[in-house]
Amino acid sequence: MNTETLAAEAAVSERNAEARAILTANDRGGYTVPTAGLYPYQWNWDSAFAALGFAQFDMTRAWAEIETLFSGQWDSGMVPHILFHKPDPGYFPGPDVWGCSGPIASSGITQPPVALSFATRLLAADPALGAAKFAALYPKMRKWADWFLRWRRDEKGAIFVIHPWESGRDNAPDWDNAMDAIDPQGVGHYERRDTQHVDASMRPTKYDYDRYIWLVKRAKALGWDDALMAQDNPFRVADPTMHFTLMRGVRDLLAAGAAQGLDVDGLADQLAALESGAEALFNPGMGYYDSYNCANGIWSNALSNASFLCWFGGLKAPQMEAHLARVLDAAPYGVPSLAPFDPRFDAKRYWRGPTWAMMNMMIGEGASEQGVALGEEVRARTREVIGKYGFVEYFDPMTGAAAGGKAFTWTAAVWLAWAGQEG
């Protein structure tokens, strides 16, 4: 074994140890915070990725992450995007702003349901330990999927979001048209805390935040009632992230549930409905999967990293390969959150340009599953950027430079579960 190979193996070993240390440091006992300070609570899809990371060295702790997430499930079936387990005055908006009444203090919206798929992955990794745990969570996971299909599906069959935060892609250009229609009167004074931890140039603008808070206050005034919130809602945007992660989740629940002898009645019909609804997300004018404003049908015309989750959802989508190749030619460090040749691209501002390791993982894995050779290229680039710039929240896709929060849980988890693995 040559010196160069030994050095590379030593670097990987060092990164593995650092990633484990980050997960351990961000562990709050049954749940993990995304990073200290900036995000001091349990976030829904962050937590699911954390479970994948823990699964590489502590399977029992991995299951605890998902079990704790579902302990906050509402009676309706919705699983909140934030669970406020312990008060932290350093975060805004906290539980008092949301005014929700679930079993645990929480926000009133959800996030992409990757936990459905990742629970099945934990089961597959250790069936002896996971069988009983999966069976206990299975009705709760089914109830969450049912809730999505009842309350977040438009007349075309696409899954939509009612708040930018619900999508997980907070300030993506996908929401611009719907956000422009909101007049945030009465939002009042508030003090942001995110810009105390991260440079404001990397975060959503005040224009965005005013509308985020206005939408929260509107829903709070309606008592977080799903039916009331659906009426005359100014923000309803069909979202590829939500649609494709739910489609993947239902597909995985169907396969794992059948293998475990659990009741899978209705899941095949739900999957068929989601596969049909995916057609509504294909923008014929641009030739790729896209979001649109449900109120007026206006497309975002945004080739985003969410566009490439079609493979993760289970679609063949051969027409997307050329788009991915073009994006990777333009951006050396993974799949940017918005194509660099889009005039709205901003390399360091959150979801308007940066590359995210966890999105790369879903894109890369999905592409490889569908026989798209570039899936491995996405993995290799993610491995490279983390190896060079560390476990940060996201990266400049043009230079690889670190951006956002530091010591980030899901970036560490993605390294352990995928990016740091040999191809």
Side-chain angles (χ1 to χ4, degrees), residues 17-43:
E18 185 180 353
R20 291 187 181 195
I22 287 171
L23 289 178
T24 301
N26 289 340
D27 186 355
R28 297 295 181 267
Y31 71 95
T32 312
V33 299
T35 189
L38 181 60
Y39 300 111
Y41 299 111
Q42 182 178 21
W43 260 259

Side-chain angles (χ1 to χ4, degrees), residues 200-370:
S201 67
M202 299 181 186
R203 300 293 296 175
T205 64
K206 184 180 187 304
Y207 174 94
D208 297 320
Y209 238 86
D210 283 352
R211 285 154 180 78
Y212 298 158
I213 301 305
W214 186 90
L215 285 166
V216 169
K217 289 191 170 186
R218 175 188 183 272
K220 179 182 178 181
L222 296 172
W224 297 102
D225 181 281
D226 286 310
L228 293 177
M229 288 190 294
Q231 296 175 17
D232 303 317
N233 191 330
F235 191 95
R236 292 172 65 249
V237 184
D239 176 26
T241 308
M242 201 68 90
H243 192 102
F244 291 132
T245 55
L246 179 62
M247 195 161 87
R248 175 61 177 255
V250 170
R251 187 186 308 280
D252 289 345
L253 285 180
L254 175 58
Q260 294 294 305
L262 302 171
D263 180 11
V264 296
D265 185 48
L267 279 172
D269 290 339
Q270 290 182 343
L271 179 57
L274 288 165
E275 289 175 337
S276 177
E279 298 175 11
L281 290 164
F282 191 77
N283 182 335
M286 303 300 288
Y288 52 69
Y289 292 97
D290 194 9
S291 59
Y292 61 84
N293 187 343
C294 297
N296 55 24
I298 293 177
W299 290 101
S300 301
N301 292 330
L303 181 60
S304 69
N305 47 11
S307 303
F308 299 109
L309 293 179
C310 51
W311 295 308
F312 185 75
L315 300 180
K316 291 293 183 185
Q319 70 276 22
M320 293 300 295
E321 292 185 40
H323 289 296
L324 181 58
R326 186 182 178 208
V327 164
L328 291 177
D329 282 345
Y333 290 98
V335 186
S337 43
L338 183 65
F341 37 81
D342 190 307
R344 298 166 291 185
F345 175 79
D346 187 336
K348 286 187 170 64
R349 194 179 291 280
Y350 217 39
W351 290 93
R352 300 185 84 89
T355 185
W356 297 72
M358 28 67 71
M359 293 292 281
N360 285 350
M361 176 180 167
M362 292 188 288
I363 294 165
E365 281 196 340
S368 294
E369 289 167 357
Q370 297 301 331

Side-chain angles (χ1 to χ4, degrees), residues 164-190:
W165 286 337
E166 194 163 61
S167 71
R169 299 186 296 127
D170 301 15
N171 68 326
D174 304 57
W175 329 127
D176 289 355
N177 182 260
M179 293 279 272
D180 286 346
I182 296 173
D183 180 6
Q185 291 294 319
V187 72
H189 172 75
Y190 60 87

Side-chain angles (χ1 to χ4, degrees), residues 16 19-21 23-24 52-61 416:
N16 289 343
R20 291 187 181 195
L23 289 178
T24 301
L52 290 188
F54 280 118
Q56 307 309 306
F57 61 96
D58 188 342
M59 190 63 75
T60 299
R61 178 61 187 81
L416 292 170

